[in-house]
Amino acid sequence: MNVQLSRSLGIIAALYFTANFSAQTAISDTLQKEKNIEEVVVIGYGSVKKSNLTSAVSTVKAETFDDRPIYNVGQALQGNAAGVNVIQSSGKPGAAIDVKIRGNNSISSSVNPLYVVDGIQTFDISGINPDDIVDLTVLKDATSAAIYGINGSSGVVIVTTKRGKANKPQLAFNAYWGMSKTVSNIDVLNLDQYKSLMENIAANGGTNYLPTINNPKYAGINTNWRDEVFRTGFDQNYNVNYSFGNEKVRAYTALGYQGIDGIINPARFDRVSAKINLDAKLANWIKLTGNFNYINTTLKNTNDNLGTSRGGVILSALNTPAFLPVYGNQLTIRDTDASGNYIDGSKDGQFALNPFQSSWENPIAYQSRKNETQTQRFMSNLGLEVNLLKNLIWKPTVSFDLIDVTNDQFTDGYQTSYGRQQKGIGGKYLSTYQDLNIENTLTYTIKSGVHDLALLGGNQIHEKRNSWNNFSGNNFAEGTTAFNFNAAIDNRQETLVKEHLRELSFFGRALYTYDNKYTIMGVFRYNGSSALAPGNKWGFFPGVSAAWTVSNEDFMSDNKIFSELKFRGGWGQSGNASGIPPYSHYNLERLTRLGAAGTPYTYQWDSGDLGWEVTSDANIGVDFGFLSNRVKLSVDAYKRNTKDLIVPISMGPTIPNILKNVGSMQNKGVEFGLNTQNFKGAFTWNTNFNISFTKNQVTSLKYQPNIDKANIETVGANLVRFTPGQAISSFYGYQVDYVDPQTGNLVYKDNNGNGIFDPNDRTIIGNPNPDFSFGFNNSFSLKNWYLDVLVTGSYGGEIYNASRFDLEMMNDFKNQSTAVLNRWTTPGQITNTPRANSANSQFVSDRFVEDGSFLKIKSATLGYNFLSPFKGVSKINLYITGQNLLTWTEYTGFDPEVNAFNTTAGVSGVDYGTYPQVRTFIFGLKANF
């Protein structure tokens, strides 16, 4: 067990519960019963009183994250909702956020939750301005998410944004400015230590690099690559919104800009957003609602999650030897040709060559490669609310989501060795995504105070169109600085793809409450998709749940303990088919254009009887309230079984994979959410604590015994294996027994007992899934001062630190981390680090599996509110926030929040040259007029 982390957790728990117990004891004698204000919780296609809620639902209010420098809605969920695991897998500005609700329930399909932004359904939440949000509602179990059918299989996050209020015009301005630095460091060998290692490699039969290193052309050079690569990042954010209206028309308008300069050039994220929310009462019986969003983002990318040989800037910054300069003109002696002219690699404006392998360039050269993505997005919906009869409401809605993406890549033909080899190389990617969604719902309600009934029925027509063009080529005229397809002389390639997917569904819900004590809810969705095979296109996904509010029973009227006691339970199903192409049941050929020639090839085989992945979810829960709900505790236990997993079956190296429903997996866990009002009055202290315990495993696979993913080029092997009986995304490889004191070689465990070291000795060597994760949020206020502190943590998950392949292999000229100072050098030496140039150390093994447990002060905000400081100004709020302030962990990489393969379905917990997390300090200003 991680002793340091365990002690830290214990201290936090002891402080909290001691303070909370003392506070509650102090107020218990004088506490008077308060009248509860009935909370309303947003659920699919409607809302319900929280007291009648039957499902597992969490709500996150905007005030818990609106002082943090976040760029993605997913970050707002981190640490604030039980059962929601959020990993900011990279510190790179604009990087994707990995959000999983109750774990991973697929191997090949997407497990991202469905986001419903003011009724607009999307899986892509990037670009949404967090400043516009009122709250986030997380539907965690199938009884609540089943009404979204195939789209809700991995949970649903309902995003509610701000709206105008009648006769309450308000102008607000928010801004912040901040600076960022790396959270931690990885130490590498200095120049003398590096030369000693190179001497050691040569002595052990490796290449002798020292004559080149000691060449007079490098005399006196000692480059600090960390100082060259890393910089101070800068954040800025500006938002202005104005809401206004009367009894007939209400509107909310907003304009925002966010810019983030990363700590490693050229990483930068820019977002401009504009929003209009409109509500109009056209007549007493009809209302109009409109939501319109425009988002423009620009992302300049720093290549990470790559090894040094593939252009990975992070590992190159650590691996590049200090004897090399950045530029060729910094060489002590510059090489010339027979005419006395400087040769490539010594010319002005060119990066210095790596003398051992010119394609392995220094990190500044890698940073010079252009990789820029611009995205324009228009999200909108328009709906009516028509009162057809008393208590009968018809809501027709049309939503449209349009995304245009342009990606430009170019490496010029002069600066870099790779660019000169290709005489300039680049590409352009253009894509257009259109999502049209037409929905109709009918809602009928009866409210008598004893018998409350709400009936919902609806249908959805969903159409997605996606088209993309990819252009590439090389050999450009001298002086070319940007990609132009027509200007490329060699290897001009063009790819055009168009896809069209249609879905049709019917859904319904019945919610009945008797006497505010007993509630039952039933939902269903009948989904059809054009992507699936004939005969399997349709799926039926039901759900049923119930709740008993014991505290409302007559026999509890004299109860002095519980202000709320409610039991919940339910079962439901949802489907997933997001991992398949729109035409998966067709044999398809594609024409590859290379210049004027074209060659057709089969790239997809008919997947035959492909059907839905189906997840069955059972949930039981209990809600407690004490001291007039000043202490509220929710406990949920669940079991999710997913069958008919869609997996690509390998048919050989030259034959396309075939998609089949081949396996099953299980997730189960327990979640606790505790909310307390510790102190009320002039001094207030509110606490939110949540913790989630989760276990998962693959339960069966057909046709192939295992599925391997996450290939690391450095060693030419996969790190991750999915196999029955083991946890999802388990690490697979050899187990190290010891370093032989006589030879310095690694000795591996003979797991199959045949007396020799062979591939059959490989086994499961690690589990990236944490035993539990938690969030601990405290809000304090005293008069006009306030302090908010968010602590997050995870325990038990392991990380495969694949970066150490490049940093500790000691098999070539790359610089290494200071961990290799402990390497074996003489017979009889006892150490856990093998000798330099040991061939048998280049295997995937548990040598690089590390404890990924951590405890982190994720953010802390100190602020002051000036009330009515000037005429026309109702409030000015000044605050300072620190993010990623402190991290307690035994992980040796930059940060334990990492996943180099975040775009590979099902894979987690791998670090391979990932852009580091950053510590950010910001100063913010908010003004209400």
Side-chain angles (χ1 to χ4, degrees):
M1 182 176 181
N2 186 321
V3 176
Q4 183 184 27
L5 178 60
S6 178
R7 288 174 178 171
S8 300
L9 288 173
I11 292 171
I12 285 178
L15 287 173
Y16 166 61
F17 285 111
T18 300
N20 186 57
F21 177 78
S22 299
Q24 299 299 345
T25 301
I27 67 173
S28 61
D29 293 335
T30 59
L31 184 64
Q32 295 181 354
K33 192 169 184 178
E34 301 175 355
K35 183 178 179 180
N36 291 324
I37 299 175
E38 195 67 70
E39 276 191 78
V40 175
V41 178
V42 178
I43 56 176
Y45 302 99
S47 59
V48 63
K49 291 192 299 184
K50 190 171 184 180
S51 60
N52 295 334
L53 191 65
T54 60
S55 306
V57 176
S58 294
T59 301
V60 179
K61 301 292 185 181
E63 52 263 29
T64 63
F65 59 81
D66 59 2
D67 292 332
R68 292 171 53 195
I70 64 176
Y71 59 85
N72 188 291
V73 173
Q75 294 169 284
L77 294 169
Q78 189 171 29
N80 289 315
V84 182
N85 189 32
V86 180
I87 295 294
Q88 187 175 338
S89 55
S90 169
K92 186 162 52 179
I97 305 297
D98 187 14
V99 179
K100 290 187 177 67
I101 298 175
R102 292 186 165 180
N104 189 345
N105 63 331
S106 184
I107 292 177
S108 299
S109 297
S110 170
V111 293
N112 294 323
L114 171 71
Y115 295 92
V116 183
V117 185
D118 296 324
I120 305 170
Q121 298 182 22
T122 179
F123 289 96
D124 181 6
I125 203 66
S126 61
I128 301 297
N129 190 344
D131 190 68
D132 293 327
I133 295 174
V134 174
D135 58 42
L136 308 168
T137 302
V138 185
L139 312 183
K140 296 184 288 188
D141 63 351
T143 63
S144 57
I147 198 165
Y148 288 103
I150 59 174
N151 293 328
S153 61
S154 298
V156 179
V157 179
I158 300 176
V159 182
T160 303
T161 64
K162 298 172 183 176
R163 311 198 76 82
K165 296 180 180 179
N167 304 316
K168 291 184 178 180
Q170 186 173 31
L171 175 66
F173 173 74
N174 303 330
Y176 66 70
W177 306 265
M179 302 180 71
S180 301
K181 286 285 191 180
T182 53
V183 174
S184 61
N185 188 25
I186 296 175
D187 294 323
V188 296
L189 301 177
N190 63 34
L191 188 55
D192 289 337
Q193 293 167 336
Y194 170 74
K195 289 181 178 180
S196 177
L197 173 63
M198 295 301 104
E199 183 179 9
N200 205 192
I201 288 175
N204 289 339
T207 302
N208 187 2
Y209 299 106
L210 285 173
T212 300
I213 296 170
N214 292 323
N215 189 309
K217 66 191 290 186
Y218 303 116
I221 297 173
N222 190 357
T223 305
N224 187 322
W225 289 106
R226 181 178 179 83
D227 289 347
E228 295 290 341
V229 171
F230 290 85
R231 64 182 183 182
T232 298
F234 180 69
D235 291 39
Q236 53 182 324
N237 193 358
Y238 310 93
N239 294 283
V240 60
N241 62 73
Y242 180 59
S243 58
F244 58 94
N246 53 36
E247 300 300 332
K248 296 289 186 180
V249 179
R250 294 176 287 117
Y252 169 84
T253 61
L255 182 66
Y257 168 75
Q258 184 171 32
I260 306 174
D261 277 312
I263 59 169
I264 301 174
N265 191 52
R268 180 175 173 84
F269 173 79
D270 289 275
R271 178 187 63 217
V272 175
S273 62
K275 182 176 183 63
I276 299 175
N277 286 346
L278 179 67
D279 298 281
K281 188 175 182 180
L282 304 180
N284 289 333
W285 55 274
I286 184 170
K287 298 177 183 178
L288 173 70
T289 301
N291 304 282
F292 308 95
N293 303 267
Y294 172 74
I295 304 161
N296 188 317
T297 60
T298 301
L299 184 65
K300 295 182 179 180
N301 186 46
T302 297
N303 289 331
D304 66 341
N305 297 331
L306 294 167
T308 302
S309 63
R310 288 294 180 182
V313 173
I314 314 305
L315 281 174
S316 179
L318 301 172
N319 283 149
T320 303
F323 77 88
L324 290 172
V326 178
Y327 296 99
N329 61 8
Q330 294 173 329
L331 291 164
T332 306
I333 300 174
R334 299 166 70 178
D335 294 327
T336 59
D337 59 19
S339 301
N341 299 315
Y342 293 126
I343 66 171
D344 284 337
S346 294
K347 296 178 181 178
D348 293 342
Q350 290 185 343
F351 296 103
L353 287 175
N354 184 325
F356 305 121
Q357 192 166 341
S358 61
S359 62
W360 291 21
E361 303 192 70
N362 73 56
I364 312 301
Y366 288 148
Q367 287 176 311
S368 72
R369 300 179 180 182
K370 179 182 180 181
N371 185 351
E372 183 173 320
T373 301
Q374 184 171 48
T375 303
Q376 295 194 78
R377 186 176 191 183
F378 180 68
M379 298 175 66
S380 65
N381 73 349
L382 199 62
L384 294 174
E385 182 177 313
V386 184
N387 289 281
L388 298 176
L389 299 169
K390 183 181 179 181
N391 300 332
L392 180 63
I393 298 175
W394 171 44
K395 290 184 179 181
T397 305
V398 178
S399 302
F400 185 66
D401 191 1
L402 172 65
I403 304 175
D404 278 322
V405 178
T406 301
N407 174 258
D408 284 296
Q409 299 186 31
F410 190 72
T411 302
D412 74 55
Y414 178 77
Q415 285 184 298
T416 67
S417 173
Y418 175 67
R420 291 191 295 273
Q421 292 170 8
Q422 302 294 326
K423 298 182 180 179
I425 184 171
K428 182 182 284 286
Y429 172 86
L430 305 169
S431 75
T432 299
Y433 172 81
Q434 301 176 59
D435 190 328
L436 176 65
N437 192 12
I438 301 173
E439 293 181 315
N440 286 273
T441 63
L442 280 173
T443 305
Y444 181 73
T445 58
I446 298 175
K447 294 183 178 180
S448 69
V450 178
H451 302 281
D452 292 345
L453 175 66
L455 300 176
L456 170 75
N459 77 300
Q460 179 186 46
I461 300 171
H462 196 189
E463 184 173 86
K464 299 178 183 179
R465 293 180 183 270
N466 187 29
S467 63
W468 53 270
N469 286 58
N470 197 18
F471 304 89
S472 61
N474 67 314
N475 193 352
F476 293 85
E478 186 176 344
T480 303
T481 58
F483 176 77
N484 183 333
F485 182 66
N486 294 323
I489 298 174
D490 296 330
N491 299 320
R492 292 200 302 171
Q493 297 187 39
E494 176 185 359
T495 302
L496 171 63
V497 173
K498 290 189 175 183
E499 298 176 336
H500 186 195
L501 175 67
R502 288 180 175 176
E503 295 173 353
L504 178 64
S505 59
F506 304 90
F507 54 88
R509 177 176 60 224
L511 178 65
Y512 172 72
T513 301
Y514 174 70
D515 201 22
N516 256 351
K517 300 173 185 176
Y518 316 105
T519 301
I520 185 168
M521 182 176 73
V523 300
F524 79 90
R525 188 151 185 141
Y526 190 49
N527 255 116
S529 173
S530 64
L532 295 171
N536 289 333
K537 292 183 181 295
W538 289 90
F540 181 73
F541 306 105
V544 61
S545 56
W548 176 26
T549 308
V550 182
S551 51
N552 287 346
E553 293 284 1
D554 294 339
F555 62 79
M556 294 287 286
S557 59
D558 295 328
N559 158 60
K560 303 297 183 182
I561 300 176
F562 299 105
S563 50
E564 180 183 9
L565 177 60
K566 182 171 71 173
F567 295 99
R568 297 176 281 105
W571 172 91
Q573 287 187 329
S574 56
N576 194 352
S578 60
I580 65 174
Y583 311 111
S584 61
H585 57 282
Y586 293 103
N587 289 317
L588 297 178
E589 287 188 342
R590 178 174 291 168
L591 182 67
T592 300
R593 288 181 57 188
L594 186 60
T599 303
Y601 71 99
T602 300
Y603 81 99
Q604 178 180 290
W605 276 14
D606 177 10
S607 53
D609 57 353
L610 192 67
W612 304 99
E613 292 183 352
V614 178
T615 297
S616 299
D617 186 348
N619 186 94
I620 57 172
V622 59
D623 301 320
F624 299 98
F626 306 95
L627 300 172
S628 293
N629 282 343
R630 291 184 64 170
V631 178
K632 299 185 73 173
L633 172 66
S634 293
V635 182
D636 282 273
Y638 66 90
K639 180 183 285 187
R640 302 170 70 186
N641 291 305
T642 303
K643 65 178 183 179
D644 297 329
L645 291 171
I646 299 173
V647 174
I649 303 299
S650 175
M651 305 299 291
T654 61
I655 303 174
N657 293 337
I658 299 178
L659 292 169
K660 289 290 184 183
N661 299 100
V662 302
S664 61
M665 63 170 56
Q666 182 183 92
N667 287 270
K668 58 183 178 180
V670 181
E671 302 163 357
F672 298 87
L674 177 64
N675 292 277
T676 62
Q677 298 177 28
N678 306 315
F679 286 95
K680 297 179 68 175
F683 172 70
T684 66
W685 173 21
N686 296 325
T687 296
N688 171 279
F689 176 77
N690 64 82
I691 188 168
S692 306
F693 299 83
T694 306
K695 287 191 176 295
N696 59 52
Q697 68 171 344
V698 178
T699 51
S700 68
L701 286 175
K702 293 189 297 184
Y703 304 125
Q704 54 187 21
N706 311 295
I707 298 171
D708 295 332
K709 294 187 177 186
N711 186 268
I712 298 296
E713 185 190 25
T714 304
V715 293
N718 292 308
L719 299 180
V720 170
R721 168 161 287 190
F722 296 84
T723 190
Q726 298 294 334
I728 299 165
S729 194
S730 293
F731 304 136
Y732 180 75
Y734 298 99
Q735 291 179 307
V736 173
D737 200 355
Y738 58 92
V739 174
D740 189 329
Q742 300 306 313
T743 65
N745 290 324
L746 290 173
V747 177
Y748 296 93
K749 292 183 180 179
D750 181 17
N751 286 318
N752 65 351
N754 64 356
I756 61 173
F757 173 64
D758 61 32
N760 292 322
D761 289 322
R762 290 178 296 174
T763 186
I764 299 300
I765 56 175
N767 180 1
N769 303 285
D771 296 334
F772 64 84
S773 56
F774 65 91
F776 185 50
N777 202 335
N778 285 274
S779 299
F780 308 89
S781 68
L782 178 61
K783 296 184 179 180
N784 292 352
W785 290 95
Y786 67 91
L787 172 67
D788 295 327
V789 181
L790 172 63
V791 177
T792 61
S794 175
Y795 179 79
E798 293 172 307
I799 298 173
Y800 200 98
N801 192 348
S803 297
R804 291 172 57 190
F805 279 128
D806 281 25
L807 291 170
E808 297 182 29
M809 295 293 283
M810 300 178 290
N811 63 335
D812 58 22
F813 54 82
K814 294 194 296 290
N815 197 11
Q816 304 286 270
S817 78
T818 53
V820 305
L821 294 175
N822 193 41
R823 66 186 179 273
W824 183 95
T825 55
T826 56
Q829 181 180 351
I830 305 299
T831 179
N832 59 4
T833 305
R835 66 180 176 88
N837 201 44
S838 174
N840 83 334
S841 66
Q842 300 174 37
F843 298 103
V844 174
S845 71
D846 60 356
R847 178 184 170 199
F848 298 145
V849 175
E850 299 187 34
D851 182 4
S853 304
F854 68 90
L855 175 68
K856 179 176 294 191
I857 301 180
K858 190 65 178 179
S859 70
T861 298
L862 177 65
Y864 186 86
N865 290 310
F866 297 89
L867 302 178
S868 300
F870 310 108
K871 184 177 181 180
V873 180
S874 60
K875 185 174 74 171
I876 291 180
N877 170 222
L878 299 178
Y879 65 92
I880 184 170
T881 295
Q883 182 148 295
N884 289 327
L885 289 175
L886 291 171
T887 301
W888 292 271
T889 184
E890 293 185 356
Y891 180 61
T892 62
F894 283 116
D895 195 275
E897 284 191 79
V898 66
N899 184 16
F901 290 87
N902 65 328
T903 59
T904 303
V907 175
S908 60
V910 179
D911 186 351
Y912 188 48
T914 304
Y915 194 107
Q917 298 285 343
V918 296
R919 179 179 292 118
T920 304
F921 292 94
I922 69 167
F923 171 76
L925 163 69
K926 297 181 180 181
N928 294 328
F929 302 90

